[in-house]
Amino acid sequence: MKLSDELPVDHWLATVYRIGAGLCGAILVVFGSLGFANQLSFFTTDGSRIAGLSSNGLLSLISLLVGAVLIAGAAVGGNVASTVNMTVGSLFLLSGFGHLFVLDRSANVLDFSMPNVIFSFVMGLLILTFGMYGRVTGGLPHDNPYWRRRHPEQAAREAAAAGGRRRAARCGTDPLRPCGSGR
């Protein structure tokens, strides 16, 4: 079974995915734009600061591209935004770990410093949380569309029982009395 087969098509969670992707994408686009506005050299590692983070032209370009991907995911919305959020969030976490190992080394071509690593971890967890919200948990409520998709037999039984309760509330508790009779 594919993950995308378990997702609801139109649900209120799509708004959460869109907001998360759009907000985080906008932050990255602003960061990348500030880097280009300061005319940073592409491969410099001199410690130029943008919004408290060290940056260079390459990091600004990557930030713009990743921000554009997140904004595109937000524009499409729904399951696409959720999947994009989970993918980009995971890549941010991996980037944080990778750059943690190359701090103060020549392999640090993006000019990362410790605040950049912390930003990668925080932004990655934030984006990942937006993507996983309502999709990944051990205790989904039974009215959640992900739970219903994963447990179709039990969802059908619960829907039938709920229908019976609605009929009883509407028609009374006497099973012999037909619904809608004026007795």
Side-chain angles (χ1 to χ4, degrees), residues 88-109:
V88 170
S90 298
L91 292 173
F92 259 87
L93 291 176
L94 289 173
S95 172
F97 281 117
H99 284 95
L100 190 60
F101 292 113
V102 298
L103 286 176
D104 298 326
R105 292 194 173 89
S106 62
N108 188 4
V109 295

Side-chain angles (χ1 to χ4, degrees), residues 150-168:
R150 292 174 186 154
H151 306 91
E153 296 87 16
Q154 188 174 350
R157 285 192 306 271
E158 289 181 9
R165 285 191 300 270
R166 283 192 298 271
R167 183 187 180 287

Side-chain angles (χ1 to χ4, degrees), residues 47-160:
S48 300
R49 297 253 175 221
I50 303 292
L53 303 173
S54 60
S55 185
N56 61 17
L58 182 59
L59 183 57
S60 296
L61 177 64
I62 291 170
S63 297
L64 278 175
L65 293 175
V66 172
V69 166
L70 285 169
I71 290 172
V76 172
N79 304 332
V80 172
S82 173
T83 303
V84 167
N85 283 347
M86 288 194 300
T87 303
V88 170
S90 298
L91 292 173
F92 259 87
L93 291 176
L94 289 173
S95 172
F97 281 117
H99 284 95
L100 190 60
F101 292 113
V102 298
L103 286 176
D104 298 326
R105 292 194 173 89
S106 62
N108 188 4
V109 295
L110 295 179
D111 194 27
F112 261 53
S113 62
M114 187 51 83
N116 293 69
V117 171
I118 293 169
F119 177 81
S120 275
F121 287 140
V122 170
M123 183 63 90
L125 287 173
L126 181 66
I127 297 170
L128 199 56
T129 300
F130 274 121
M132 290 181 161
Y133 184 77
R135 278 180 79 173
V136 180
T137 181
L140 291 173
H142 291 206
D143 65 342
N144 184 293
Y146 296 108
W147 184 89
R148 284 183 284 170
R149 178 70 181 199
R150 292 174 186 154
H151 306 91
E153 296 87 16
Q154 188 174 350
R157 285 192 306 271
E158 289 181 9

